[in-house]
């Protein structure tokens, strides 16, 4: 004990510990008759370790109280220490928490998870996991838990750090719900939707697959303009660029080419979005092909009504007025020439009305069916002499085709001066073609393109200038074409091309 001889026992020893210089001893004092015997051992190292441990615990507790994360130290559920942050997080005082076990702070659905993680910590692992906790007021908080094992008072304890991630979890839940809602709307919408990144398809919905005929896999990574009709690509590109520059773009209409080659009209609206961290375009597409066809039919009907109204007001009225005047003079003077002119005027009016009726029937019905072209031509030929028919074929047409053939044959006899007409029918892979040839004076090249214009007249026998115009409208209504060529060595050939059945 060093230099202790001569000192009072009470100066050196306090209780069962004696301190001499920088050393410490545990002692046992045995009183005798006139003397006391003291037995001791050097515990300086133990005292040093205890003080060091106390200092560490004091520093740990000080640091723990300043930590923004909740900290808890426990052993098999028994809580040894918690900091203020955890108390605030769960709404308890320290005293209230210390009286509880760890499981009381955890939602019942998550009791098994901490046990598994605790065992991993005791085995030396450092797992990180999300945990649902219970507050004193009955509320719930989500925490991110990490930690490990520590030696505390000679025992192994679990020390866990808890970060409150409730707001993050709520945001993630809302984001998840929003994404789920978007995906449900996106995939179940009756409109076609797509997302483009760098002008390439990144995502499409089932309706867009139906509209285009392509699967999502076939469209992924493909440039969007590849399925746009070539005539409309520039306009679609211009609008997409304008939208990306922040301009407010109105919805627009354009044509797409389906996988099977069919042309469809679509109505589209686009907006700028962020998709998977990249700038993207969200497009909404509605197939309006049927509506577009109805609109065109309505335009044709309107045009037809305007034409019929104009014709009835002008051409028919003029013809009937002339007929009336010729009849009055012819009857009064008994002049057969005027009576003949009156009859011509009446016939002219009748022909005009017949043309209008054919036009009206063709435009109003708009229905096509598979027709035997030879049979239709043969029925028309019964009304004329000198008409020969060769070949046969079937095509998609309507009742207006009969009027068109009749008009072609009638024009040939009246205007060309021919004494015979040949109708030749043939088929190719896609088309059925009918060539109506006369052997008359022919049609000059300079007016070949104009003879199908509304109201165009040429020659002494010309009447209203509506027959060929109406014929062209009817054939186009059936999805076909009509034009005129020279017949060799003389005359003209009117070619009617219709789609095969």
């Amino acid at each position: 004990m060093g230099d202790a001889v001569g000192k009072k026992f009470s100066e050196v020893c306090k209780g069962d510990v004696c301190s001499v210089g920088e050393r410490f001893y545990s002692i046992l004092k045995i009183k005798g008759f006139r003397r006391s015997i003291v037995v001791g051992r050097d515990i300086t190292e133990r005292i040093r370790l205890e003080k060091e441990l106390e200092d560490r615990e004091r520093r740990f507790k000080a640091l723990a109280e300043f930590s923004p994360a909740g900290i808890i130290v426990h052993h098999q559920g028994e809580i040894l220490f918690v900091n203020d942050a955890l108390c605030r997080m769960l709404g308890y005082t320290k005293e209230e928490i210390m009286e509880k076990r760890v499981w009381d702070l955890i939602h019942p659905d998550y009791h098994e998870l901490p046990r598994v993680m605790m065992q991993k910590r005791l085995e030396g692992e450092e797992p990180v996991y999300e945990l649902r906790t219970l507050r004193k007021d009955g509320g719930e908080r989500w925490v991110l838990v990490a930690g490990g094992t520590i030696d505390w008072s000679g025992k192994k304890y679990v020390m866990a750090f808890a970060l409150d991630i409730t707001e993050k979890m709520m945001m993630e839940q809302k984001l998840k719900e929003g994404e789920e809602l978007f995906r449900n709307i996106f995939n179940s919408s009756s409109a076609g939707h797509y997302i483009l990144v760098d002008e390439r398809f990144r995502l499409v919905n089932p309706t867009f697959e139906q509209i285009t005929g392509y699967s999502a896999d076939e469209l992924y990574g493909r440039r969007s303009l590849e399925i746009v009709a070539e005539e409309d690509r520039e306009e679609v590109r211009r609008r997409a660029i304008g939208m990306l520059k922040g301009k407010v773009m109105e919805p627009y209409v354009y044509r797409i080419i389906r996988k099977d080659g069919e042309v469809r009209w679509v109505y589209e609206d686009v907006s700028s979005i962020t998709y998977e961290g990249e700038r993207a375009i969200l497009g909404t597409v509605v197939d309006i092909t049927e509506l577009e066809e109805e609109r065109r039919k309505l335009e044709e009907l309107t045009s037809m009504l305007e034409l019929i109204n104009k014709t009835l007001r002008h051409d028919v009225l003029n013809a009937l007025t002339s007929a009336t005047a010729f009849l009055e003079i012819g009857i009064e003077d008994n002049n057969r020439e005027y009576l003949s002119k009156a009859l011509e005027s009446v016939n002219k009016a009748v022909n005009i009305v017949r043309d209008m009726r054919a036009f009206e029937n063709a435009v109003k019905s708009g229905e096509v069916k598979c027709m035997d072209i030879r049979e239709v031509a043969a029925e028309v030929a019964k009304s004329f002499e000198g008409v020969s028919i060769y070949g046969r074929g079937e095509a998609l047409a309507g009742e207006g085709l009969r009027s068109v053939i009749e008009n072609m044959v009638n024009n040939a006899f009246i205007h060309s001066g021919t004494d015979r007409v040949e109708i030749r029918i043939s088929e190719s892979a896609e088309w059925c073609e009918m060539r109506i040839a006369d052997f008359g004076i022919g049609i000059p090249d300079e007016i070949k393109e104009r003879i199908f214009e509304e109201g165009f007249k040429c020659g002494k026998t010309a009447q209203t200038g509506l027959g060929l115009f109406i014929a062209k409208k009817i054939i186009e209504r059936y999805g076909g074409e009509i034009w005129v060529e020279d017949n060799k060595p003389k005359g003209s050939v009117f070619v009617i091309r219709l789609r095969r059945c």
Side-chain angles (χ1 to χ4, degrees):
M1 292 181 66
D3 189 14
V5 177
K7 294 182 180 179
K8 288 185 178 181
F9 182 82
S10 59
E11 294 176 1
V12 177
C13 301
K14 303 294 183 183
D16 60 354
V17 177
C18 299
S19 174
V20 180
E22 295 182 355
R23 305 201 68 78
F24 297 89
Y25 305 88
S26 66
I27 56 92
L28 176 62
K29 180 180 178 183
I30 303 172
K31 290 186 177 182
F33 175 66
R34 297 182 64 183
R35 297 283 188 273
S36 293
I37 300 173
V38 177
V39 180
R41 65 187 179 89
D42 192 329
I43 59 170
T44 304
E45 186 62 20
R46 194 192 79 183
I47 294 296
R48 184 185 66 78
L49 290 175
E50 287 178 353
K51 286 186 175 181
E52 186 176 329
L53 182 60
E54 287 178 2
D55 290 340
R56 287 182 180 180
E57 288 184 3
R58 186 166 57 252
R59 287 196 297 270
F60 164 75
K61 290 180 180 180
L63 289 172
E65 294 305 338
F66 284 109
S67 172
I71 299 175
I72 185 170
V73 178
H74 66 91
H75 177 68
Q76 295 182 348
E78 181 183 352
I79 300 172
L80 180 65
F81 171 81
V82 292
N83 68 346
D84 289 340
L86 189 70
C87 294
R88 290 192 298 270
M89 192 182 301
L90 300 180
Y92 290 99
T93 64
K94 281 188 178 182
E95 291 73 18
E96 290 171 332
I97 286 187
M98 297 297 289
E99 293 175 356
K100 295 183 175 293
R101 294 181 64 79
V102 168
W103 319 117
D104 299 331
L105 309 176
I106 300 172
H107 192 281
D109 294 346
Y110 287 79
H111 277 186
E112 187 60 30
L113 180 60
R115 287 191 175 96
V116 174
M117 298 301 152
M118 187 187 305
Q119 184 60 38
K120 288 185 176 182
R121 287 195 182 98
L122 292 173
E123 293 172 358
E125 295 185 34
E126 297 181 355
V128 178
Y129 58 97
E130 294 170 351
L131 188 64
R132 197 169 164 192
T133 62
L134 295 174
R135 284 177 53 83
K136 180 181 178 180
D137 58 12
E140 299 175 1
R141 305 297 289 180
W142 282 94
V143 295
L144 184 67
V145 180
T149 59
I150 62 170
D151 289 324
W152 191 295
S153 300
K155 296 181 180 179
K156 275 195 174 295
Y157 281 75
V158 172
M159 181 171 68
F161 296 84
L163 285 174
D164 191 333
I165 58 170
T166 305
E167 301 302 324
K168 172 180 172 291
M169 295 293 288
M170 290 176 63
M171 289 294 292
E172 288 180 353
Q173 182 63 24
K174 287 181 180 179
L175 182 60
K176 183 179 178 182
E177 291 173 357
E179 288 178 351
E180 185 177 350
L181 177 62
F182 168 78
R183 196 166 292 277
N184 287 337
I185 295 174
F186 187 86
N187 288 327
S188 63
S189 173
S190 58
H193 296 293
Y194 65 81
I195 293 176
L196 301 180
V197 176
D198 292 333
E199 300 182 358
R200 296 180 183 274
F201 288 108
R202 185 67 66 85
L203 186 68
V204 301
N205 73 342
T207 304
F208 193 78
E209 292 179 291
Q210 294 170 10
I211 292 173
T212 63
Y214 291 97
S215 68
D217 290 339
E218 290 172 324
L219 288 170
Y220 184 86
R222 187 172 184 173
R223 288 192 175 277
S224 60
L225 288 178
E226 290 181 18
I227 66 170
V228 177
E230 190 170 351
E231 304 91 325
D232 299 337
R233 288 180 184 176
E234 188 57 38
E235 178 64 13
V236 173
R237 181 187 290 109
R238 184 186 68 81
R239 289 179 176 272
I241 292 173
M243 182 274 300
L244 289 173
K245 289 182 177 179
K247 295 181 181 179
V248 178
M249 306 302 295
E250 296 294 328
Y252 51 98
V253 174
Y254 65 93
R255 288 162 291 182
I256 64 168
I257 309 298
R258 282 173 47 88
K259 182 180 179 180
D260 57 13
E262 182 186 359
V263 177
R264 304 292 291 181
W265 284 91
V266 296
Y267 175 88
E268 180 177 81
D269 193 9
V270 293
S271 57
S272 180
I273 64 169
T274 299
Y275 180 71
E276 295 182 344
E278 297 181 271
R279 193 176 185 187
I281 292 175
L282 171 64
T284 301
V285 171
V286 179
D287 189 334
I288 60 166
T289 304
E290 284 71 26
L291 290 175
E292 186 67 16
E293 289 176 355
E294 290 300 320
R295 183 188 67 79
R296 290 188 173 188
K297 287 180 182 178
L298 182 60
E299 287 182 352
E300 288 181 356
L301 286 172
T302 302
S303 176
M304 178 202 71
L305 291 174
E306 291 174 352
L307 178 60
I308 291 174
N309 183 48
K310 183 177 69 174
T311 303
L312 292 177
R313 284 190 295 107
H314 186 265
D315 296 332
V316 175
L317 182 59
N318 285 349
L320 293 178
T321 300
S322 297
T324 301
F326 288 139
L327 279 173
E328 289 177 351
I329 297 173
I331 293 172
E332 184 177 339
D333 297 342
N334 194 23
N335 189 320
R336 296 179 65 84
E337 182 183 352
Y338 280 99
L339 292 175
S340 178
K341 289 182 178 181
L343 181 59
E344 288 179 8
S345 296
V346 171
N347 286 334
K348 182 178 179 180
V350 170
N351 288 332
I352 293 171
V353 173
R354 185 184 293 118
D355 288 340
M356 289 298 101
R357 183 181 61 193
F359 186 37
E360 180 183 7
N361 289 338
V363 175
K364 286 178 68 176
S365 66
E367 296 179 0
V368 296
K369 58 183 178 180
C370 191
M371 302 184 72
D372 188 318
I373 303 303
R374 184 182 179 90
E375 285 185 6
V376 178
E379 289 181 17
V380 172
K382 292 177 182 178
S383 303
F384 299 91
E385 292 183 4
V387 178
S388 303
I389 304 174
Y390 304 93
R392 63 173 52 254
E394 293 183 337
L396 296 172
E399 296 303 320
L401 179 61
R402 184 176 287 101
S403 299
V404 172
I405 299 173
E406 185 178 16
N407 184 282
M408 300 290 104
V409 174
N410 189 57
N411 283 350
F413 283 116
I414 292 177
H415 304 303
S416 75
T418 189
D419 59 351
R420 62 192 174 94
V421 171
E422 291 183 357
I423 301 177
R424 296 185 180 273
I425 304 167
S426 62
E427 289 183 332
S428 65
E430 263 187 88
W431 304 95
C432 177
E433 192 172 277
M434 179 168 48
R435 301 175 67 87
I436 304 172
D438 65 61
F439 302 86
I441 59 176
I443 299 173
D445 290 340
E446 60 268 20
I447 67 170
K448 278 189 174 67
E449 295 296 326
R450 300 193 59 199
I451 60 174
F452 295 102
E453 294 177 4
E454 179 186 350
F456 179 77
K457 303 176 186 178
C458 184
K460 295 180 180 180
T461 56
Q463 296 182 4
T464 64
L466 293 175
L468 291 178
F469 170 74
I470 292 172
K472 186 173 188 294
K473 287 290 184 183
I474 292 173
I475 296 303
E476 288 177 348
R477 184 78 168 174
Y478 300 149
E481 300 174 273
I482 183 171
W483 68 89
V484 65
E485 299 175 354
D486 290 331
N487 192 18
K488 304 296 183 182
K490 66 174 185 174
S492 301
V493 181
F494 281 85
V495 185
I496 299 173
R497 180 179 287 175
L498 297 167
R499 292 193 176 277
R500 286 189 61 183
C501 300

